[in-house]
Amino acid sequence: MPFAIYLLGLAVFAQGTSEFMLSGLIPDIARDMHVSIPAAGSLTTAFAAGMIVGAPLLAILSLRWPRRRALLVFLTAFLLVHVLGALTTSFGVLLATRVVGAVANAGFLAVGLATATGMAGPDAKGRATSVLLGGTTLACIVGVPAGALLGQQWGWRAAFWAVAVVSVPALLAILRSVPATAPDPARTSARRELRALRSPRLLVTLLLGALVNGATFCTFTYLAPLVTHVTGFGPGWVPAVLALFGLGSFVGVTAGGRLADVRPRQLLVTGGALLLVGWVVFAVTAGNPVATIVLVFVQGTLSFAVGSTLIAQALYAAPGAPTLAGGFATAALNVGAAIGPSFGGIAIGAGLGYRAPLWVSALLVALALATAGAARGVRHRMAHHPEEAPAAAPAAP
């Protein structure tokens, strides 16, 4: 892999820390801002909403920009809104900074995926994707627990300052290491790239990505209250549990990167089935500390192995639209990141307890498996009865 791809991963580390760190900060933010825990959880939903809107929109707007310029603009905006978030005393302003920061993050990730996979070559999209997402998993291992520790020691605002500080070397690294190439005329037409996205296989893959990521975020957003109120761990255990989830996610995205280019179907089918079983078992055994420790790691591994493979498959499904495919893949994952915490918050608000998000996660993965099975059935039927096929039949990834 070209070294510049790893530097893009550094920026994704800072952004992933921001996206995930609220899992360990929600109780403190709720107390400081005088809002409920589900209301504080809406900060995660707001971030996801910004990613949903920002990813395809900024992917289109930046098609005519040199990729290095686009990356620098998006990362600078991301840095500045975290400074504002650290300073504000208004929950409304904090909510707005999460949306704007997410829009900038989405634009960066869409262009970053296109840049990384372009530098890696046509047969290494899975490995390039895993390097970028490795920044996210390292955020789970190091950044998110560190943010939780900073929050416990100096307040949640310290975590926002830390994200802004970490973004500075990433900004300088991109300035020095990403080639300052002019935009490719072959990829500057939004209409041309949008036409390339008319792939039933791509649409199914995006839907599966949204459902699987929804399951991941549904539980992860409320992991801190889950392990303290249901499992019985003290607050000091929260950073360690978050780090364990991050370690599992790193293992998962690394394995996914190695298999996504050669055996994606086997990984998705087996990993998806195990992911469903894991959420159900976790829901049943969440009161057991040993089971919780094991399943936090296992579910982190499976969630990111399946999720990263789905991103790579989206890029493979639209080779003629690398920037917009990355943008729509980012948007789809964040549709899941929005609906997951929302459904989890609704379940908690309905009085079902902090164990409820685990059941919601299981339901979302079950729906993903059913969707993949239905798409595969349609493809099989059309293969044997082509006279029934429309212009294109959906294919399971």
Side-chain angles (χ1 to χ4, degrees), residues 183-240:
D184 182 357
R187 68 173 180 86
T188 56
S189 170
R191 183 175 300 176
R192 181 180 304 162
E193 288 217 5
L194 284 169
R195 283 199 300 267
L197 295 180
R198 296 175 184 174
S199 163
R201 175 190 170 193
L202 174 63
L203 296 177
V204 172
T205 303
L206 294 178
L207 177 57
L208 296 181
L211 291 170
V212 169
N213 209 45
T216 304
F217 269 77
C218 180
T219 292
F220 189 75
T221 299
Y222 301 103
L223 192 56
L226 172 69
V227 299
T228 55
H229 288 78
V230 178
T231 309
F233 287 126
W237 277 86
V238 171

